[in-house]
Amino acid sequence: MADQPHYHGHRERLRQRFADAGADALADYEMLELLLARALPRQDVKPIAKALIAEFGSFADVMAAPAPRLMEVKGIKEKTALELKIVEAASVRMLRNRVINRPVISSWSALLDYARTAMSDPQREEFHVLFLDKKNRLIDDEILGKGTVDHAPVYPREIMKRALQLGATAIVLVHNHPSGDPTPSRADIDMTRQVIEAGKPLGIMVHDHLVVGANEVASFKSLGLL
């Protein structure tokens, strides 16, 4: 229609391309356009989507960014930021449901996907503990440390106390490196050894320690550090 906004046809073409070929057929900013269009249906969202990618680097980084940071980008108000955070929360819950109450060994790729997504704040280090039962099924995932850009306080005794409360017999440690480099630091290695030692007299085993970076996840077990 002649009186339709210029972006109307573009938006419909994006939707059709997604319907025909899936998300892989769209660039990161185009996926963001589709999401932003739901919150801003009467606005050309392409410039906003590109600004978000320029600011944060990727679709995943945009979705993981805290709402206040999203709102620093021109065109993103509180309502729009909330819409993006709802989508992120839905993604985390979906991935969590793929691993909860399932043996993590046989669902390892799903666990890695969940670990990447669960690191919700790329600007700060978060320390998660995945608690497992006797059959290595995930009982729960809890954040037991939040910190700065390069440190999250972790207390081995608190980890073991929580493991006993949940009836866990094994754990997987997971934390992120906001720098993007997943290489374990000396502090990471020392802390992991402390957790292992704290668990031995209680019969609680540390299966692995995963360090989430920007594009990959480092495994202590695979690196021979466990």
Side-chain angles (χ1 to χ4, degrees):
M1 299 290 293
D3 58 348
Q4 288 180 338
H6 69 88
Y7 52 81
H8 180 83
H10 168 69
R11 189 172 292 174
E12 288 305 313
R13 287 190 293 273
L14 281 183
R15 289 195 180 104
Q16 191 58 52
R17 202 186 330 153
F18 178 85
D20 293 339
D24 288 343
L26 302 181
D28 277 5
Y29 78 89
E30 291 174 324
M31 280 295 295
L32 275 176
E33 282 188 71
L34 290 181
L35 292 180
L36 291 169
R38 301 178 67 84
L40 302 167
R42 296 179 179 83
Q43 186 173 339
D44 182 5
V45 296
K46 184 175 182 178
I48 302 174
K50 287 193 170 184
L52 285 166
I53 295 296
E55 177 67 23
F56 297 102
S58 71
F59 178 86
D61 289 333
V62 171
M63 300 306 296
R69 287 279 288 116
L70 291 172
M71 291 167 60
E72 292 176 5
V73 175
K74 185 178 180 181
I76 299 294
K77 303 298 183 183
E78 184 176 3
K79 178 182 176 182
T80 306
L82 180 61
E83 289 290 330
L84 294 179
K85 300 314 295 180
I86 289 172
V87 173
E88 184 212 11
S91 299
V92 172
R93 181 168 296 190
M94 179 186 70
L95 291 170
R96 186 176 188 274
N97 286 343
R98 290 176 58 192
V99 296
I100 195 76
N101 293 323
R102 298 183 184 183
V104 297
I105 304 303
S106 60
S107 307
W108 198 250
S109 62
L111 180 67
L112 292 179
D113 287 340
Y114 170 64
R116 292 188 191 97
T117 308
M119 299 291 103
S120 60
D121 188 348
Q123 308 301 317
R124 293 180 181 274
E125 190 168 301
E126 284 187 357
F127 197 96
H128 291 233
V129 181
L130 310 184
F131 297 96
L132 314 177
D133 66 13
K134 293 180 180 179
K135 294 184 179 180
N136 287 324
R137 294 176 303 193
L138 181 63
I139 300 172
D140 202 1
D141 163 26
E142 296 190 4
I143 301 175
L144 294 187
K146 280 191 175 184
T148 61
V149 294
D150 60 2
H151 176 68
V154 179
Y155 304 100
R157 288 183 180 179
E158 291 301 315
I159 293 174
M160 293 306 151
K161 178 181 178 181
R162 188 61 181 141
L164 291 173
Q165 290 172 340
L166 292 170
T169 58
I171 59 175
V172 175
L173 308 175
V174 186
H175 83 283
N176 64 316
H177 277 180
S179 67
D181 181 1
T183 304
S185 67
R186 170 50 58 184
D188 294 337
I189 295 170
D190 291 342
M191 179 274 300
T192 303
R193 289 175 178 165
Q194 292 172 19
V195 175
I196 291 172
E197 291 303 314
K200 282 181 179 179
L202 302 173
I204 298 173
M205 182 179 183
V206 178
H207 276 326
D208 206 342
H209 186 167
L210 305 176
V211 185
V212 180
N215 300 305
E216 59 182 320
V217 178
S219 160
F220 271 50
K221 190 171 185 179
S222 297
L223 293 171
L225 296 174
L226 203 61

